[in-house]
Amino acid sequence: MAEILVLAEHAGGEVKKVTCELITLARRFGEPAVVLAGAGAAQGQQRCAEFGAARVYTASDAVFDEYVVAPTAELLAQLVRDKAPALVLIAGTAEGKEIAARLAVKTDSGLLTDAVDLTPDSEGKPVAEQSIFGGATVVHSRVTRGTPIVAVRPHAVAPEPASGAAELSPVSLAAAVGGAKITGRVVAQRSDRPDLTEASIVVSGGRGTGGAEGFGVIEQLADALGAAVGASRAVTDAGWYPHQFQVGQTGKTVSPQLYMAIGISGAIQHRAGMQTSKTIIAVNKDPEAPIFELADFGVVGDLFKVVPQLIDEIGRRKQI
Amino acid sequence: MDIVVCVKQVPDTAADRKLKPSDATLDRASVDGLINEIDEYAIEEGLQIAEAQREAGADAEVTILTMGPEKAAESIRKALSMGADQAVHLLDDGLAGSDALSTSYALAQVLRQIGFDLVICGSESTDARMGVMAAMLAERLDVPQVTLASKVDTDGSVIRIRRVSDDGYHEVEAQLPAVISVVEKINEPRYPSFKGIMAAKKKPVRTLTLADAGIDAAAVGLAGAATEVVDFAQRPPRQAGVIVKDEGDGGVKVADFLAAQKFI
């Protein structure tokens, strides 16, 4: 059975949910072999086993955390040459897509990004579903040259546990790789909330919050639901909330189970980043706001009345 | 310092964008084209770096590089009117249908020919949204990849940036020559002045064909692509949802919906 390489996203060996999703997806095509690069790599083995990884390649050399993208891409290229996998899956994050890009050049292979699903065709070859033009068009594409490389969006599939041997196989770079050196890491805002792109519920606030102070109600609602906080571009441009929380065309793309757009009109810029969410709720005082065209449930009203009442109601129902 | 800013003309995001049924490539003819928004930030950053270099007594020149049909000349004019010094337009019918892999090959061939100390790209385009070009160019040109910058500093030999991360930023540095990409937070692009618009008409624009740039015609265009579209369709519109007016119980109604959907 062919090996399917999955590049893990992890922090010191703590494997992220998106990686469990990719391993689940890999099982449709062959034997998942997870690549863990960087500090703590071997600690990720257990989690990979729980989702059906047959093998785990670990490379814990410091170089993977010291340089931007290039060493990880080279490690993958080396594995593609040595193991001839049938498919390489990488998380469709900004950095994941950069790694995929370099791997595609190194191996002269076709690259598909932002896949929201991946299914085998009649010959067992992967066909990616992509959602383009702000979600208005659905495209199915495939790779015609080299080893298919697919950058998959978080939430493409639900992670399904399965037992795997996760046989540990340490690997290292055959040649020195450098490039741009990471000299510092600065955490802008530490929070206990889930990652924006990983969260199953996202609560986003827009211009309607009126300012940094008004945005507080968005955070309160997010915390009541255990959700991540997002923001529209109007909010981050005005400095009401940090840039890294921006959802939209020029920000992050999210596809959670539930997306709540509060005080967001729903311009194409924003819709492009959230249109594929499973369920969408909107609260806006303007009944003509385009966000209502997408909403499964919408309330036309003052967010400063609706949201506090909702928070109280969630709290009350939790107690029952 | 030779600064090259890669610029892509894209269909207006406000227009009704479509793929062509004949070959599943982007229909660029039926909608207005404009400079990919983040590329304007890349141009602005190039202009600011060049200005700082000149103030420090060094020579600096900003060249705009674009690949695209004749229509893309409009975007070149805009970039020149913002203040770039010259432009190179890679224009050849054989390029139509190129995927990211072959586009990066073609651009890298031109970059090798014209030379550079610094290549600046926008982080992604509003049409394909792949976010891969700067990484591919760095790989092909074998220079450091200094990407997703929200802040850039350079003294002409070393470049330092803030690279946006999930929870903040990384400080990254590299030796020039290098390829960088910028995010929109980095600056506020200038509007072309009347003087700039007039001056742009006299600035040199070099047009290169595949042969001029030493590009293998078999490696680009639809035939050179390593990916293909199997099929595509307009997404069926979402089923109309329930929209209610807040009568003082809007919050309770949302909670009812959340409970019915098992979110609470």
Side-chain angles (χ1 to χ4, degrees):
Chain A
M1 206 173 176
E3 210 166 77
I4 309 300
L5 281 188
V6 173
L7 176 65
E9 295 236 328
H10 71 104
E14 196 183 313
V15 174
K16 299 209 170 154
K17 184 168 158 247
V18 64
T19 301
C20 305
E21 294 166 7
L22 296 192
I23 304 172
T24 304
L25 206 48
R27 298 196 325 245
R28 293 180 186 171
F29 300 92
E31 283 195 323
V34 182
V35 183
L36 282 147
Q43 273 93 287
Q45 182 193 17
Q46 185 54 38
R47 189 95 177 121
C48 297
E50 288 164 11
F51 287 88
R55 182 168 280 101
V56 175
Y57 295 112
T58 56
S60 47
D61 196 297
V63 72
F64 299 106
D65 298 313
E66 282 172 358
Y67 290 90
V68 175
V69 170
T72 307
E74 181 56 31
L75 179 72
L76 285 177
Q78 206 175 298
L79 286 165
V80 167
R81 283 191 288 265
D82 293 350
K83 313 291 175 189
L87 167 69
V88 182
L89 299 179
I90 298 177
T93 57
E95 182 159 304
K97 292 201 281 187
E98 291 186 339
I99 294 168
R102 299 190 71 126
L103 178 63
V105 171
K106 282 171 191 288
T107 60
D108 192 30
S109 297
L111 165 64
L112 301 168
T113 58
D114 297 295
V116 295
D117 199 3
L118 195 64
T119 46
D121 66 11
S122 55
E123 293 166 30
K125 301 248 170 66
V127 174
E129 179 174 320
Q130 296 157 305
S131 185
I132 63 167
F133 302 150
T137 303
V138 180
V139 181
H140 291 101
S141 342
R142 67 182 159 218
V143 167
T144 52
R145 190 169 77 232
T147 305
I149 303 167
V150 184
V152 182
R153 275 202 195 153
H155 297 297
V157 293
E160 289 162 17
S163 75
E167 190 187 316
L168 208 60
S169 179
V171 287
S172 56
L173 282 175
V177 180
K181 193 167 181 17
I182 300 169
T183 56
R185 289 182 156 77
V186 178
V187 176
Q189 194 175 336
R190 200 176 280 285
S191 95
D192 296 333
R193 298 192 186 103
D195 267 7
L196 184 52
T197 48
E198 293 234 318
S200 49
I201 303 179
V202 173
V203 179
S204 282
R207 200 189 297 274
T209 59
E213 206 174 307
F215 205 82
V217 73
I218 303 298
E219 292 190 307
Q220 288 163 27
L221 176 57
D223 290 342
L225 289 164
V229 173
S232 71
R233 182 167 174 182
V235 166
T236 56
D237 275 358
W240 301 347
Y241 212 65
H243 180 75
Q244 68 263 32
F245 296 100
Q246 184 191 321
V247 171
Q249 180 104 59
T250 54
K252 298 218 164 69
T253 300
V254 299
S255 193
Q257 295 298 321
L258 172 64
Y259 188 88
M260 299 188 69
I262 312 293
I264 291 175
S265 65
I268 177 73
Q269 148 74 241
H270 189 74
R271 293 207 306 265
M274 46 66 74
Q275 192 148 9
T276 53
S277 303
K278 307 291 180 295
T279 300
I280 296 170
I281 295 180
V283 179
N284 202 297
K285 65 178 184 328
D286 174 11
E288 303 298 323
I291 193 73
F292 287 123
E293 293 163 20
L294 295 182
D296 298 288
F297 191 80
V299 177
V300 179
D302 179 355
L303 73 91
F304 292 108
K305 294 196 174 111
V306 175
V307 176
Q309 186 183 60
L310 171 60
I311 295 168
D312 286 348
E313 196 63 20
I314 293 168
R316 198 179 61 77
R317 293 183 193 211
K318 269 183 191 162
Q319 282 166 4
I320 296 168
Chain B
M1 189 178 191
D2 291 325
I3 301 166
V4 182
V5 183
C6 297
V7 168
K8 184 180 189 185
Q9 174 155 309
V10 296
D12 189 345
T13 54
D16 193 10
R17 294 172 289 175
K18 284 191 172 68
L19 297 178
K20 286 187 283 188
S22 54
D23 60 1
T25 61
L26 179 60
D27 184 351
R28 295 180 196 274
S30 73
V31 287
D32 283 343
L34 37 75
I35 292 185
N36 176 44
E37 189 187 347
I38 308 176
D39 296 351
E40 290 190 19
Y41 296 75
I43 296 164
E44 177 63 35
E45 199 57 26
L47 296 174
Q48 287 185 17
I49 292 170
E51 283 157 8
Q53 285 290 306
R54 287 182 198 126
E55 265 169 43
D59 284 338
E61 205 159 48
V62 178
T63 303
I64 302 301
L65 169 58
T66 200
M67 163 177 147
E70 271 181 47
K71 219 176 148 183
E74 303 158 5
S75 291
I76 289 177
R77 283 294 154 206
K78 169 95 187 275
L80 293 175
S81 62
M82 285 173 74
D85 301 293
Q86 56 184 350
V88 174
H89 187 175
L90 181 57
L91 170 65
D92 197 304
D93 289 344
L95 290 162
S98 297
D99 64 0
L101 198 61
S102 47
T103 299
S104 70
Y105 158 70
L107 291 177
Q109 286 298 91
V110 176
L111 286 164
R112 279 194 196 97
Q113 191 181 99
I114 65 177
F116 63 91
D117 296 300
L118 183 62
V119 176
I120 310 180
C121 302
S123 58
E124 67 175 39
S125 64
T126 54
D127 52 0
R129 295 202 67 197
M130 291 182 76
V132 296
M133 199 45 61
M136 284 186 170
L137 290 176
E139 177 66 38
R140 288 196 186 274
L141 297 164
D142 196 22
V143 297
Q145 174 197 324
V146 194
T147 46
L148 303 175
S150 63
K151 188 173 186 292
V152 175
D153 272 310
T154 180
D155 60 5
S157 64
V158 175
I159 187 156
R160 292 188 180 81
I161 68 151
R162 285 183 177 181
R163 169 176 168 85
V164 295
S165 67
D166 277 343
D167 54 3
Y169 62 89
H170 294 167
E171 287 162 342
V172 170
E173 68 172 51
Q175 293 288 326
L176 295 180
V179 175
I180 73 172
S181 77
V182 302
V183 300
E184 60 169 40
K185 202 194 172 191
I186 193 161
N187 57 40
E188 203 50 62
R190 67 195 67 182
Y191 288 103
S193 63
F194 180 69
K195 205 174 134 209
I197 293 167
M198 295 313 287
K201 294 179 176 165
K202 299 194 186 78
K203 288 177 178 172
V205 179
R206 248 170 91 198
T207 304
L208 298 181
T209 62
L210 293 180
D212 296 337
I215 295 166
D216 175 5
V220 295
L222 261 184
T227 51
E228 67 177 13
V229 170
V230 179
D231 58 44
F232 67 91
Q234 292 288 106
R235 179 182 292 281
R238 288 180 84 99
Q239 274 198 314
V242 178
I243 312 295
V244 299
K245 195 172 177 308
D246 181 27
E247 309 277 4
D249 60 354
V252 174
K253 284 189 169 148
V254 177
D256 288 343
F257 179 83
L258 289 174
Q261 302 284 321
K262 311 251 184 288
F263 286 113
I264 55 173

